[in-house]
Amino acid sequence: MTLLVVGLSHRSAPVSVLERAALSRDSQGKLLQDTLAAEPAVEAAVLATCNRVELYADVDKFHAGVAELSTLLAQHSDVGLDELTPHLYVHYEDRAVHHLFSVACGLDSMVVGEGQILAQIKDALAVSQDLHTAGRLINDLFQQSLRVGKRAHSETGIDRAGQSLVTFGLQQFAAGGDTAAWARGKRALVIGAGSMSSLAAATLARTGVSEIVVANRTLERAERLAAILSEPGGTGVSARAVRMDRVAAELTRADIVVSCTGASGLVLTGQDVADAVAGRAMEDAVAGEPASPLALLDLAMPRDIDAAVHGVAGVRLVDIESLAGASADAPMAADVDQVRAIVSAEVDAFGAAQRAAHVAPTVVALRTMAADVVAGEIARLDGRLPALGEKERAEITQTVKRVVDKLLHAPTVRIKQLAAEPGGAGYADALRTLFDLDPEAVASVSRADRGDNDPRNDARSDVPSVAHVTQVTNVPGITGVPQDADGVPPNVTNGRNRGRA
């Protein structure tokens, strides 16, 4: 296993950097394709959410892999490599697995324990599968991370510690009070019709808003979401869809606005919001009512709503940056420790399974070679004893096969057990050397086992494993990072310095 992840998140970078590093769906696809075209990587996946951008890859060279993946992230974002580098973290081997499993369980989320990350991991895997950049390692890793995340939520009370960003954002408006009481009867505008916007609309409906207006560039998607919300089997809330050019008018009517689009630029400028506030004030004055405040929740990355809105009177803007500050003070449930234990156990099991799988092709090649030896000796016997009866020949053949199977049984079972242990990758090499196995025969078994669509089938088979890297003295692309006693930078982690991350 040569797994490497290079990325940045709300824990390592300010929102101003994350915002510029955010990747559109098209950019994610181009990044994956360029990653596979780069020499060190043979399969890859991108996990891009509103508070993280991470590039996972199966690499054949650690240092070259770190440098290449870092450069690619910079090239496909609006952040230069020199500016991006200080905010990047690197994990490899078991520590990379530990990182993704922790992410899947919500332990690394801005709101600890939130479950939406599972859908985002599933989406990341689907994209890499569609583009044929996911091979066995990425498939196994991401599918297992989904199982680990689901296990954490079903076996622990991590849900009590976590909630969606939507719920957490609405709680900021309620100022510690009852969110449902605060939202009840209010009119809501949801800008966007993707997964986060759908979650926002459903959450608003459950909190008791009186109306939800969905605005989207594609009217059909907005209409579909509005229909789901208003149908009898749905939330039952009054919902309707409008085009994006109607957002300005709807702003004067709405009490709550949630925006989460994939737009590369601003959806609402400071002037848009200021004009809406002025229009609302006029309507309130005509109705003889006090001015009603406008609550804006921006969950997009990059931001949909101009940060200048923070200075507009009569408006409360909660965005990713303010959510990050609020979540830092949020209490963590005792169940988090139980989830961490689950993650550690699952990482060990995943590593053992991967190491065992690594030696399996060698064992198959050994048994194939033994079968060929038996077949050759039986053919030689036929030449020496042509008069040998069919019954006697069959009995001799079975006897020789049983002898070979018994001789191979104990060592092959034991080598699978040893290979599953930490540091067991060398047993496959020892087996190949002891029995002088043809490397191409082992490689052909691996290719057949992976399937025709695995991108690694086109990769070189003579490259060293990252598992054999015992000391990191310099990490190209991640500069200015002090080395620890083992020669490993503290933000570059593997199984040996797991406790430091």
Side-chain angles (χ1 to χ4, degrees):
M1 181 175 64
T2 56
L3 179 66
L4 175 67
V5 55
V6 178
L8 69 161
S9 73
H10 65 100
R11 296 185 183 275
S12 69
V15 173
S16 58
V17 174
L18 275 176
E19 189 175 34
R20 290 157 53 212
L23 300 173
S24 66
R25 179 58 67 93
D26 288 343
S27 295
Q28 293 175 40
K30 292 175 182 176
L31 173 58
L32 285 174
Q33 292 168 343
D34 287 352
T35 301
L36 246 64
E39 184 174 321
V42 291
E43 54 176 300
V46 174
L47 178 58
T49 73
C50 59
N51 53 34
R52 76 178 62 248
V53 178
E54 296 176 342
L55 179 55
Y56 292 78
D58 183 1
V59 299
D60 56 21
K61 295 181 179 69
F62 172 75
H63 295 88
V66 172
E68 190 67 39
L69 267 57
S70 302
T71 301
L72 287 167
L73 281 173
Q75 289 175 348
H76 288 270
S77 71
D78 291 329
V79 186
L81 182 59
D82 289 342
E83 184 182 359
L84 186 66
T85 292
H87 305 294
L88 292 177
Y89 47 78
V90 175
H91 303 299
Y92 73 105
E93 292 183 313
D94 288 350
R95 190 59 195 178
V97 178
H98 189 281
H99 175 73
L100 183 58
F101 286 5
S102 297
V103 169
C105 293
L107 293 179
D108 198 55
S109 295
M110 185 178 294
V111 180
V112 174
E114 62 94 8
Q116 191 188 3
I117 186 64
L118 289 174
Q120 294 165 330
I121 291 174
K122 184 177 181 180
D123 185 55
L125 176 59
V127 170
S128 62
Q129 290 173 335
D130 290 343
L131 295 176
H132 304 292
T133 65
R136 164 179 265 183
L137 178 57
I138 293 296
N139 273 295
D140 288 353
L141 174 68
F142 275 67
Q143 288 172 358
Q144 186 60 26
S145 72
L146 293 172
R147 287 189 282 267
V148 173
K150 291 175 182 177
R151 179 189 170 192
H153 283 279
S154 64
E155 295 184 11
T156 74
I158 190 67
D159 289 331
R160 293 195 295 269
Q163 55 203 316
S164 73
L165 275 178
V166 178
T167 304
F168 192 58
L170 294 178
Q171 284 183 350
Q172 307 311 302
F173 295 125
D178 182 41
T179 304
W182 172 82
R184 189 173 296 116
K186 286 182 167 61
R187 293 168 296 189
L189 169 63
V190 176
I191 304 176
S195 58
M196 179 69 86
S197 299
S198 299
L199 175 62
T203 303
L204 288 166
R206 287 195 299 270
T207 57
V209 298
S210 62
E211 180 189 47
I212 297 176
V213 178
V214 182
N216 194 59
R217 284 184 172 82
T218 305
L219 182 61
E220 290 76 12
R221 293 190 65 184
E223 290 174 337
R224 186 160 56 247
L225 177 55
I228 292 173
L229 291 169
S230 57
E231 65 185 10
T235 62
V237 70
S238 174
R240 57 189 175 87
V242 299
R243 297 183 185 277
M244 286 295 290
D245 58 12
R246 293 290 303 164
V247 166
E250 294 298 336
L251 272 178
T252 62
R253 301 182 65 255
D255 302 301
I256 309 169
V257 179
V258 180
S259 186
C260 186
T261 73
S264 57
L266 294 174
V267 175
L268 294 178
T269 66
Q271 190 60 52
D272 292 334
V273 176
D275 291 344
V277 170
R280 291 164 61 84
M282 291 181 60
E283 291 184 5
D284 290 338
V286 171
E289 298 177 352
S292 56
L294 176 61
L296 302 176
L297 178 57
D298 185 359
L299 299 176
M301 186 62 72
R303 68 177 71 241
D304 279 346
I305 303 175
D306 192 345
V309 171
H310 282 294
V312 178
V315 177
R316 171 80 188 279
L317 170 61
V318 173
D319 52 20
I320 293 296
E321 192 164 15
S322 51
L323 283 175
S327 66
D329 299 326
M332 293 178 63
D335 300 278
V336 168
D337 287 338
Q338 188 178 352
V339 174
R340 286 174 175 155
I342 288 175
V343 168
S344 294
E346 291 284 357
V347 169
D348 291 341
F350 184 84
Q354 290 294 312
R355 289 187 292 269
H358 177 69
V359 78
T362 305
V363 172
V364 171
L366 173 60
R367 289 192 171 276
T368 300
M369 184 192 75
D372 290 343
V373 170
V374 169
E377 289 302 313
I378 294 301
R380 184 166 174 268
L381 181 65
D382 288 341
R384 289 190 172 189
L385 300 174
L388 189 65
E390 188 63 32
K391 182 177 180 180
E392 290 79 5
R393 182 184 183 280
E395 185 61 36
I396 292 171
T397 301
Q398 278 300 109
T399 299
V400 174
K401 286 182 177 180
R402 281 196 298 270
V403 169
V404 171
D405 286 342
K406 288 181 178 181
L407 286 173
L408 291 180
H409 176 73
T412 53
V413 169
R414 184 59 180 148
I415 202 166
K416 289 179 181 179
Q417 294 171 342
L418 292 170
E421 297 176 359
Y427 286 101
D429 297 332
L431 195 64
R432 286 194 293 270
T433 301
L434 286 171
F435 288 91
D436 196 23
L437 297 177
D438 181 5
E440 180 54 35
V442 178
S444 65
V445 174
S446 299
R447 287 194 294 270
D449 195 33
R450 287 195 296 257
D452 294 335
N453 292 327
D454 194 297
R456 288 176 296 171
N457 288 344
D458 296 326
R460 298 181 303 279
S461 61
D462 58 345
V463 293
S465 168
V466 170
H468 297 145
V469 176
T470 57
Q471 184 176 10
V472 179
T473 56
N474 182 36
V475 184
I478 308 294
T479 59
V481 181
Q483 310 291 324
D484 65 13
D486 294 327
V488 181
N491 70 329
V492 180
T493 58
N494 66 356
R496 294 183 294 112
N497 54 358
R498 176 179 299 174
R500 304 185 193 126

